Amino acid sequence: MCGNNMSAPLPAIVPAARKATAAVIFLHGLGDTGHGWAEAFAGIRIPHVKYICPHAPTMPVSLNMRMSMPSWFDIYGLSPDADEDEAGIKRASENIKALIDQEVKNGIPSHRIILGGFSQGGALSLYTALTTQQKVAGVVALSCWLPLRKSFPQAAANSTNKDMHVLQCHGDADPLVPFIFGAQTAEKMKSLINPANITFKSYRGLPHSACPEEMIDVKRFLEKQLPAISDE
């Protein structure tokens, strides 16, 4: 591991019930930890899939009056025109790429790995998948946005993941990351990767959180993109 992730504890992990032949790396939202998401994935686990829920390092966050909290990068605002922490986003993305490399060393090929995240974590997973040279199976992006979107399509010009599958989910009553921001992100993504591979789902009345219906949709997506291998 490199960069500021050294201060973060080891990820919360839900091991595969049998030999792990696929993995999900899922990044929590601002001020949270990986533990709650590990519990959520334990509830929808697929036997051959390992779930890795890392914890963000603690840092001062401008959006919250510079209070220190778990955060993948600094956030100045949550509107589409807010300034962004470009250096922090790129540094965090390199740390996620290092996590992918670690799983490849553990014997899971990158094309059997799905990145995902909620809110700030979902934003980082989208950015990482579009800018990495590692071929991934796809992204699960919950209640989030695409960071540094003005850097695309140039930033994804040589994208290895033009044909990856993306499940993007957003509550239509989200007061923090407005639903329209999520919908605009889905449209932007359609200009960067194969639009036929992008699914955008909305959830009526859902605020800035997840819900059981959404987690079932996530499980179905994972089952489709990370099928069991015949010799398991």
Side-chain angles (χ1 to χ4, degrees):
M1 297 296 288
C2 56
N4 58 7
N5 241 16
M6 294 298 286
S7 61
L10 292 172
I13 292 176
V14 181
R18 52 180 194 247
K19 182 172 183 269
T21 60
V24 173
I25 299 172
F26 193 90
L27 313 176
H28 63 74
L30 179 66
D32 198 5
T33 70
H35 293 299
W37 287 103
E39 286 180 25
F41 281 108
I44 59 163
R45 70 196 299 190
I46 301 165
H48 61 276
V49 178
K50 173 185 181 183
Y51 302 88
I52 302 148
C53 300
H55 311 296
T58 298
M59 65 176 74
V61 175
S62 299
L63 180 72
N64 291 338
M65 300 180 294
R66 305 279 308 156
M67 283 173 54
S68 285
M69 62 190 64
S71 186
W72 300 108
F73 49 86
D74 198 7
I75 297 184
Y76 305 127
L78 286 173
S79 63
D81 56 354
D83 286 339
E84 295 183 275
D85 175 17
E86 182 172 353
I89 291 165
K90 290 180 173 175
R91 186 169 55 241
S93 182
E94 290 304 314
N95 285 332
I96 303 313
K97 291 171 192 173
L99 280 179
I100 297 171
D101 282 340
Q102 186 59 52
E103 288 315 302
V104 171
K105 284 181 187 145
N106 288 341
I108 297 175
S110 67
H111 66 84
R112 295 276 293 168
I113 296 174
I114 279 184
L115 292 181
F118 176 80
S119 195
Q120 188 195 39
L124 181 56
S125 66
L126 283 176
Y127 181 84
T128 302
L130 288 173
T131 57
T132 184
Q133 295 305 304
Q134 303 148 312
K135 185 173 179 63
V136 297
V139 178
V140 172
L142 310 183
S143 306
C144 68
W145 67 97
L146 175 63
L148 305 179
R149 69 192 186 288
K150 293 192 176 85
S151 68
F152 296 97
Q154 292 75 18
N158 302 314
S159 178
T160 310
N161 290 311
K162 282 191 167 67
D163 289 311
M164 69 174 173
H165 289 256
V166 174
L167 173 64
Q168 204 185 324
C169 303
H170 217 111
D172 69 3
D174 191 328
L176 279 180
V177 181
F179 178 78
I180 187 69
F181 203 179
Q184 288 169 349
T185 293
E187 289 309 305
K188 178 74 173 179
M189 290 295 297
K190 285 176 183 174
S191 72
L192 300 176
I193 67 171
N194 184 345
N197 292 347
I198 296 175
T199 303
F200 181 74
K201 285 185 173 275
S202 61
Y203 300 86
R204 187 182 298 276
L206 181 67
H208 193 63
S209 61
C211 66
E213 178 191 355
E214 181 182 40
M215 293 309 290
I216 290 167
D217 288 336
V218 168
K219 182 179 184 182
R220 286 181 181 142
F221 176 79
L222 296 177
E223 285 173 333
K224 190 171 182 186
Q225 303 312 323
L226 302 174
I229 296 171
S230 57
D231 64 351
E232 285 172 11

